[in-house]
Amino acid sequence: MTQDTLPRRKPVPRGLAHSGPVLLSYGFRPFFLAAGVWAVLAMALWILALMADLPIGGLYGGPAWHAHEMLFGYSTAALAGFLLTAIPNWTGRLPVSGAPLALLFAVWLAGRAALIAPDMIDITLAVAIDALFLPLLLVICAREIIAGRKWRDLKILAAVAALASANAGYHVLVLKAEDPGLANRLAVAAFIMLIGIIGGRIIPSFTRNWLAKREAKTLPTPYNHFDTLSLVVACLALAAWVSIPDHPATSAAALVAGVLNTIRLARWQGWQTSAERLVLVLHFAYAFVPLGFFIIALVPFGLFDPISALHVFTVGGIGLMTLAVMSRATRGHTGTPLTASMTTGLSYLCLLLGAILRPLATLAPDHYMTLVSLSGLCWMLAFGLYVLEYAPILLTKRKPRPE
């Protein structure tokens, strides 16, 4: 039998493992599932700590533990799941899977376990364990982007490096009994820039594809110099917010960044996608970026406190965007129809409500704790619904092979 007469095997898509544990076949599976579960558990533990004086975080301290686990626990898991799935699509290289993926995931899990009760093993060791995850993720992403010669995506690495630095700085400040606000803001700023960069790529793309199928006459404006200007001004405003949050120049820069990003969002034609919540929610999530800038601009006038401004970015921008991307990516990479189910739509609505309630607590001081608790419950319900719907898919469903 010659080479030409050998039977040809059906092609298997690059990056789709069809053997071994399903959970370790692609980066989004373990990290999206863990992000959803930890979003619920970490918030539940924080609410219990507030209501029942639960000693969460040991000597690290409950408030510091809560802020850290939302930013560097939940959010980095969601980010890892996205990057480990998106970068192979950008580069055409095989994704990280199997044992290397299991090792990276184990490091993330070890960080969560170490910090929940750091006194049990030594707080310095617990911090060292947690601080290992982001540098490892950075090395993996850098290797893939450089090997794939995707030089324009190096800016993604800068944001991941900023997150790794922010995490290390957060630990140092907490252990020195100093205010970790600087590191906190740096991490949030890095995530917001990632939303600006990556969201500016996927939101108009997904919107264009959806509208084109329906023969819409007006499509999202393609990326141009205005988008670059919006990102540059946003970066400058965030840098000012990180370093001099109370300075008048920060308010002015934030105001300009808010206006530019509002216009940028409007150019993506989101109002035409109301029939598909899987697309519409991306626009709602991005809307919290300019809203966060506007709230920052108002803080010096006493209308909002700095913590409320921070939560506009974290609950609304980071939380809703990651939930939207996780649900869409889970569907797209498992062959599940790309349309939001009733459960998915309800999860979006819950988180949107939570994102609105949290900053409003500042405007109603007599009901502050009630509104904060309701916001936390909305957060837990949103991610609980995600886990309920998508855990079976993440654990068992492979994308069908092409015929």
Side-chain angles (χ1 to χ4, degrees), residues 196 221-234 256-268 286:
T221 304
Y223 189 99
N224 57 28
H225 293 306
F226 183 84
D227 294 271
T228 302
L229 175 64
S230 300
L231 289 173
V232 170
V233 174
V256 176
V259 170
L260 291 177
N261 278 276
T262 299
I263 297 172
R264 188 187 192 207
L265 177 61
R267 286 154 43 102
W268 295 338
Y286 196 90

Side-chain angles (χ1 to χ4, degrees), residues 20-47:
V22 175
L23 190 65
L24 299 177
S25 64
Y26 227 136
F28 73 92
R29 292 182 182 273
F31 281 108
F32 283 177
L33 179 59
V37 171
W38 191 238
V40 177
L41 289 180
M43 184 62 72
L45 288 171
W46 173 235
I47 292 176

Side-chain angles (χ1 to χ4, degrees), residues 110-163:
R112 311 287 63 75
L115 286 184
I116 200 168
D119 305 0
M120 294 181 64
I121 61 171
D122 180 72
I123 194 166
T124 304
L125 177 59
V127 163
I129 292 172
D130 174 76
L132 182 61
F133 173 70
L134 282 168
L136 280 178
L137 178 64
L138 176 62
V139 169
I140 291 172
C141 293
R143 182 194 66 185
E144 296 303 308
I145 288 175
I146 293 172
R149 298 180 180 274
K150 291 295 181 178
W151 309 121
R152 72 167 187 164
D153 294 321
L154 288 176
K155 53 184 174 286
I156 303 299
L157 301 181
V160 178
L163 283 171

Side-chain angles (χ1 to χ4, degrees), residues 38 49 54 80 110 165 211 226 248 294 313 342 360 374 378-380:
W38 191 238
L54 183 71
S165 300
L211 292 176
F226 183 84
F294 289 138
F313 276 152
M342 186 66 69
L360 283 182
L374 286 175
C378 287
W379 172 280
M380 292 169 58

Side-chain angles (χ1 to χ4, degrees), residues 14 46 81 86 90-91 123 136 151 243-244 252 268 287 320 339 365 384 387 400:
R14 289 199 73 193
W46 173 235
W90 301 342
T91 62
I123 194 166
L136 280 178
W151 309 121
S243 54
I244 46 173
W268 295 338
L320 189 57
T339 185
V387 173

Side-chain angles (χ1 to χ4, degrees), residues 182-201:
L182 175 65
N184 206 356
R185 293 191 300 274
L186 177 59
V188 173
F191 274 115
I192 295 301
M193 285 306 301
L194 283 170
I195 291 173
I197 295 168
I198 298 174
R201 179 186 300 185

Side-chain angles (χ1 to χ4, degrees), residues 307-348:
I307 299 300
S308 293
L310 185 78
H311 279 90
V312 173
F313 276 152
T314 54
V315 183
I318 301 172
L320 189 57
M321 184 62 76
T322 50
L323 179 62
V325 170
M326 288 195 304
S327 53
R328 183 186 180 92
T330 300
R331 287 180 168 275
H333 286 277
T334 58
T336 307
L338 279 176
T339 185
S341 66
M342 186 66 69
T343 302
T344 296
L346 183 58
S347 72
Y348 296 159

